[in-house]
């Protein structure tokens, strides 16, 4: 019988794990805390997180300057309840019993902070909706 107290796990995947998936993982960690286990990865990870994305997230009060792009592994997918892809094509392995969502968002790669801001804001909106769905705040009834 599954442990109903276990936090749901979410994996965000994009090509370079340097922009969209990093923003999404940071927002989910920041907003949900320990109610959700968060991972991010890329099918072809970059060497560093996009500086425009780091700047855009800093404006939102979230520091991702020490994050490092990670390679997508089969194990990361298997360990996740929800896998959210962001333009990684068919690179993400598919396993039965996992929930897959595809968030079609512009890629901030090679663009400045002005281009990253609207992507950041859309990701935050989607992450807030995801939290309400998979890890809502439970309030005591007494």
């Amino acid at each position: 019988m599954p442990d109903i107290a276990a936090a749901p796990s979410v994996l965000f995947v994009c090509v370079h794990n340097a922009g969209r998936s990093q923003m999404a993982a940071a927002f989910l960690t920041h907003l949900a805390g320990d109610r959700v286990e968060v991972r991010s990865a890329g099918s072809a990870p970059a060497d560093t997180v996009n500086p425009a994305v780091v700047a855009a997230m800093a404006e939102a009060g979230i520091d991702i300057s020490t994050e490092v792009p990670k390679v997508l592994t089969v194990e990361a997918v298997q360990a996740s309840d929800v896998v959210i892809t962001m333009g990684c094509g068919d690179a993400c392995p598919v396993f039965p019993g996992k929930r897959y969502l595809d968030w079609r968002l512009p890629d901030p790669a090679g663009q400045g902070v002005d281009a990253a801001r609207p992507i950041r804001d859309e990701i935050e909106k989607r992450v807030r909706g995801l939290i309400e769905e998979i890890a809502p705040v439970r309030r005591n009834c007494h």
Side-chain angles (χ1 to χ4, degrees):
M1 190 156 164
D3 179 5
I4 56 172
S9 57
V10 177
L11 170 65
F12 294 101
V13 182
C14 66
V15 176
H16 301 298
N17 190 222
R20 296 165 290 183
S21 57
Q22 289 283 352
M23 287 191 281
F27 271 125
L28 186 53
T29 299
H30 179 76
L31 297 169
D34 60 2
R35 296 194 331 261
V36 179
E37 185 181 340
V38 183
R39 297 178 183 85
S40 71
S43 52
D47 293 330
T48 59
V49 175
N50 179 337
V53 166
V54 172
M57 290 302 287
E59 292 174 357
I62 301 173
D63 180 8
I64 62 168
S65 62
T66 60
E67 294 297 324
V68 177
K70 294 165 280 305
V71 68
L72 175 64
T73 64
V74 168
E75 292 78 21
V77 177
Q78 288 176 319
S80 301
D81 298 311
V82 180
V83 179
I84 299 176
T85 57
M86 303 172 167
C88 63
D90 297 328
C92 189
V94 175
F95 294 99
K98 305 293 175 196
R99 180 170 173 208
Y100 292 86
L101 300 171
D102 185 34
W103 289 359
R104 297 184 184 273
L105 298 160
D107 188 349
Q111 302 184 65
V113 72
D114 288 340
R117 283 185 192 110
I119 300 166
R120 173 200 66 201
D121 295 345
E122 178 62 22
I123 288 172
E124 180 182 10
K125 185 174 93 179
R126 291 182 189 202
V127 165
R128 286 181 183 277
L130 179 70
I131 292 168
E132 285 302 311
E133 187 180 328
I134 68 169
V137 175
R138 287 173 179 74
R139 291 179 173 76
N140 289 337
C141 297
H142 354 291

